Structure formats: C-alpha cells, structure tokens
Amino acid sequence: MTQAKVAVLPGSGRPGGGVLATLFRFQSLFGLVLVFAAAVVYSPSKNGELVFLDSGNLFNVVRSMSEIGILAVGMTLVILIGAIDLSVGSVLGLASVGSAVLLTGNDLGLVPAVLAVLAIGLGFGLLQGIAITAFGIQAFIVTLAGMQIARGLARIWSGGQGVSITYGDRPGQAPVTFSLLRERTFDGLVPIPALIFGVVAALAVVLLRVSAFSRHVYAIGGNEKAARLSGVPVKRVKIVVFGLCGLLAALAGIVHAGQLNFGGPNDGAMYELDAIAAVVIGGTSLMGGRGSVVGTVAGALLVGVLRNILALNNVDSNVQLLVIGLVIVLAAGLQRLRPASVS
C-alpha cells in the first residue's frame, strides 16, 4: 500500500512529536553542531590557540562554500517541486566566462555586464522550465542536456580558453569595483561572497515563508496532481522555479569570476553534485514537498566545516571525499527513516 505524500510547510509540522521528531526535523542543524564540536576537539593548535576557531578561518569556511551555497539555494527550490537541475555547474561556468568577456572584451560598464550575465542565467533556466512543462520531458533529461549546452556555449564564447580579468580604466580592463568580490567587509572580517550567500539565503527563507508562491512550490512537490486540481498554476510555478535556479547559478558564476579574477569555460564542473549534497544533508526530501533553505544552509556549512577540519589535520583529499560521501549516505538514510517516525 502506498502512502500519499503530503506537502509540509516549514514549521507547520505536527506540534509536539517528541524528541525523535525534533531530531529529524532539525537533523542538519544538529549535524552541524556535532561536526562543529568535533572540529573544535580535533583542531590543531598554533601559539596556544585553536586554529579552527580563528575568526579568519571560520569566515574562510563560509567564503569557500559561498558559491556552492548560492547554487544549493536554487537547487532547494527545484528539489522542493520534486525535480532536479543538473545544469547549474555548467551555467556557473558560462556565467564566469560571460562576466570576464563582457567586462574586459566588450568594455561594458559593471552594472550592464552583471545584469546581462544574470539575464543569461535567468533565461537559460526559464527555457529549461518551458521545455520540461511544454513537452513533458523529465527534468533530469532536460537539465542533463542543459548541462552540455551551457558548457558548450561557455567554450564557444571563450574560444576554449580561460579569460583573465585585469582591473583599471583602460580598454580591456574591468572596473575596479568588480574586484570587491575578493575583499572583506565589516572591519575586514566578512568576505563579500559570504555576505552575498547570506543575503541570498535570507531572501529565499522569506520567499518560502510568507508568499503564495511558497505554498504552490510545496504543494507541487507534495502531490502535483492534487495541486493542479486545487488550482495551483503548476506549469507557471515550475518555469519560475527553474528560472530562479538559473538566475542563482549565474550569480554564483559572477562571484566565482570575481574571486578568481578569471572566467573559465570548465569552471563549476561537478558543482551541481555538491549543491545536491548540501540540499540532501540539509534534510530536503529528493521526492519533493518537504525541506527548507535553512536546512540547506546548515548542510552547506556542515560540508564546509568537515572539509576544513580534515584539511587542517592534513587528511588525504581522497579520504575527505570518502568521509563526505558517508555523510551524504547517512543524511539520505535519515530521510528514509523520517516518514515512518515523524509524518
């Protein structure tokens, strides 16, 4: 006997439910606390201070995950409607190339160039959403094709070569303002990419808390047929969701180019898997209808902290992949247990 899926808004679950229900509901936050505590215990020391707890190190963790985090926010929206987007890493690469070319090769101003790159990402996502809804093709197939198309466009646009970004007022140089993406704010403490990630996540949390769009997203992921019969504009919502995901992938590409002073056609490869991992560890169901951006942020930070403490202890990079893979399996296993225990 199959069990009907029910859309569950964040925080709208059954009141109470005991300790186990609370544990499952906030599994990513509990996981982040546990990993953070373990990182403190196993942190190497320098001059009597724990290296892990150094403020510069902690903000570097957030900075290093900022691009994946931005991608993961968009991926959360897509997975909440029960779909997947495999193209985000390639769109990031396309956007990084676009940023470098438009800023250095076409002498566009900063704002027009950034808006153009964002429009490319938005348009790419919208086209994928239209293809999925108009032709009834699975999102996996459409975005798999989109992954190849975006990568091909990036290579054609750049001539297959990376594009370096230099700054100045002369032709062929990007506006100096763009280099701020490498800088820090708040007394040189908070990296700008981390700040952008935080703003994107906060806006997404608000979007999924207070808007009718939020209810439609959860309803489609919970039961698409029921949502359609209830009057939810399923196709339109899906197209918008994929458009937002493409827009955020382009934003991540701009941040990527700004951090590296470089736009590479092969940049962002496999980033889509890291984004999906952050979403899964964050507790969002791959079947759709249940999850939150807060969980995704916690999932991304958990991966970042884990990688950081392993690197600080000089753990082999291959072992790092193994450990993170096991964490993903554990998170997916908890998802399998949760419906019987909580719903």
Side-chain angles (χ1 to χ4, degrees):
M1 182 174 66
T2 59
Q3 181 180 3
K5 290 193 297 180
V6 178
V8 181
L9 289 169
S12 64
R14 188 176 52 189
V19 176
L20 189 59
T22 303
L23 178 63
F24 278 118
R25 189 173 302 159
F26 301 104
Q27 68 176 60
S28 57
L29 293 175
F30 285 123
L32 177 60
V33 171
L34 289 175
V35 171
F36 191 93
V40 173
V41 171
Y42 291 103
S43 172
S45 299
K46 184 178 181 181
N47 299 325
E49 302 289 337
L50 295 178
V51 176
F52 173 73
L53 289 180
D54 180 78
S55 59
N57 179 66
L58 292 176
F59 279 110
N60 273 335
V61 171
V62 184
R63 183 200 57 75
S64 68
M65 295 304 297
S66 58
E67 296 167 22
I68 298 299
I70 294 170
L71 291 180
V73 170
M75 188 69 75
T76 303
L77 299 177
V78 172
I79 291 179
L80 280 174
I81 62 171
I84 199 78
D85 189 343
L86 299 178
S87 69
V88 292
S90 296
V91 174
L92 182 151
L94 176 62
S96 73
V97 166
S99 301
V101 171
L102 293 177
L103 287 170
T104 62
N106 295 72
D107 291 327
L108 286 180
L110 177 63
V111 173
V114 168
L115 291 179
V117 173
L118 291 176
I120 290 172
L122 175 63
F124 198 91
L126 290 174
L127 287 175
Q128 289 192 129
I130 291 171
I132 291 166
T133 56
F135 302 107
I137 308 174
Q138 290 181 340
F140 180 89
I141 301 300
V142 172
T143 58
L144 180 63
M147 178 173 66
Q148 304 295 329
I149 293 170
R151 189 68 67 193
L153 289 172
R155 291 174 179 170
I156 292 172
W157 200 356
S158 65
Q161 303 293 323
V163 182
S164 297
I165 301 175
T166 58
Y167 299 98
D169 298 326
R170 290 181 295 181
Q173 292 183 319
V176 177
T177 309
F178 193 68
S179 67
L180 291 176
L181 289 172
R182 293 172 56 88
E183 303 298 329
R184 295 170 181 261
T185 185
F186 295 109
D187 294 328
L189 193 63
V190 182
I192 298 294
L195 187 63
I196 294 173
F197 173 33
V199 171
V200 167
L203 291 175
V205 168
V206 173
L207 177 69
L208 287 180
R209 285 284 183 183
V210 302
S211 66
F213 175 75
S214 164
R215 292 190 292 275
H216 292 167
V217 166
Y218 282 99
I220 292 171
N223 190 320
E224 182 174 333
K225 182 178 179 180
R228 184 179 292 107
L229 293 174
S230 300
V232 173
V234 173
K235 290 184 177 181
R236 188 168 65 197
V237 172
K238 281 187 170 183
I239 292 171
V240 171
V241 165
F242 276 95
L244 289 174
C245 191
L247 176 69
L248 292 178
L251 177 61
I254 293 170
V255 172
H256 182 83
Q259 289 201 84
L260 299 181
N261 293 338
F262 183 83
N266 297 318
D267 290 354
M270 307 299 286
Y271 277 27
E272 59 276 358
L273 299 184
D274 285 341
I276 293 171
V279 176
V280 171
I281 293 173
T284 295
S285 171
L286 287 172
M287 303 301 291
R290 183 171 52 204
S292 70
V293 171
V294 173
T296 295
V297 171
L301 294 178
L302 188 154
V303 173
V305 170
L306 197 55
R307 281 180 175 163
N308 182 253
I309 193 58
L310 292 174
L312 289 177
N313 285 284
N314 298 316
V315 175
D316 185 85
S317 59
N318 295 321
V319 177
Q320 294 183 32
L321 292 174
L322 176 66
V323 172
I324 293 172
L326 291 174
V327 171
I328 295 171
V329 171
L330 176 62
L334 289 175
Q335 284 192 18
R336 294 285 297 174
L337 292 174
R338 184 165 54 180
S341 305
V342 180
S343 298

